[in-house]
Amino acid sequence: MFKKILSLLLFLIMVANCDYSPVYLKGENSKLNINIIKIDGDSEINEIIVKEINQIANNNYSKKIDIKINTNFVRTILARNTKGTPTDFELKAISNFKVTHSDKEQNFAIEEKFNYKKMSNSYKQNNYEKTIKKNIASSITRKLILRLTIAE
């Protein structure tokens, strides 16, 4: 019994001394000076993308990256029941980026999609769709930052 308590205590002390900090904490460690020039398409997704980019961007870094964003968002019916009522949906966002960095221009698209079943309560379903949309936008931003970091 004493050995179990001692080993548990030792484990907790070791874990408590681990220091966790995010890699891109408000742009302090980032080497990305991102300037968003133009934004088109779905305003909700673009707003989240811009907000997350601004949190990561480091305006003190000398190399500037210019980005143009165009996002399309589509909600598609995948399946219907025998009465013709939709039962399954797909939310899909495609963000096209035009990145200019060091006199080089690069175009690429990032696509995210999510399938789900219809809920009985329309209020809960609308909130669920908004949450999914936010998660899709965050995922697109993470993929964009990863791509920009690799290209750096």
Side-chain angles (χ1 to χ4, degrees), residues 134-145:
K134 288 177 186 176
N135 291 340
I136 286 174
S138 293
S139 178
I140 289 171
T141 306
R142 284 191 304 274
K143 288 181 179 182
L144 171 67
I145 296 300

Side-chain angles (χ1 to χ4, degrees), residues 6 26 47 52 54 66 97 110 114 119:
L6 185 61
K26 296 183 181 176
E47 183 179 313
E52 290 185 9
N54 288 334
D66 295 328
F97 298 98
I110 298 174
F114 186 82
M119 297 179 171

Side-chain angles (χ1 to χ4, degrees), residues 40-116:
D40 290 324
D42 189 78
S43 60
E44 288 179 60
I45 292 180
N46 286 337
E47 183 179 313
I48 295 168
I49 291 172
V50 169
K51 179 182 164 193
E52 290 185 9
I53 286 174
N54 288 334
Q55 288 177 348
I56 293 171
N58 182 354
N59 294 332
N60 297 326
Y61 195 65
S62 62
K63 293 183 181 177
K64 194 176 209 180
I65 300 172
D66 295 328
I67 298 179
K68 293 180 183 176
I69 303 170
N70 184 5
T71 303
N72 295 318
F73 181 77
V74 180
R75 179 178 179 241
T76 309
I77 298 170
L78 294 178
R80 296 179 185 267
N81 62 13
T82 55
K83 296 179 183 177
T85 307
T87 58
D88 294 0
F89 297 96
E90 177 183 70
L91 298 179
K92 181 163 100 175
I94 302 171
S95 292
N96 296 303
F97 298 98
K98 186 175 184 181
V99 178
T100 307
H101 172 27
S102 301
D103 297 329
K104 295 178 186 175
E105 191 171 290
Q106 185 181 25
N107 295 316
F108 57 89
I110 298 174
E111 179 179 328
E112 286 290 321
K113 54 184 160 180
F114 186 82
N115 298 339
Y116 67 98

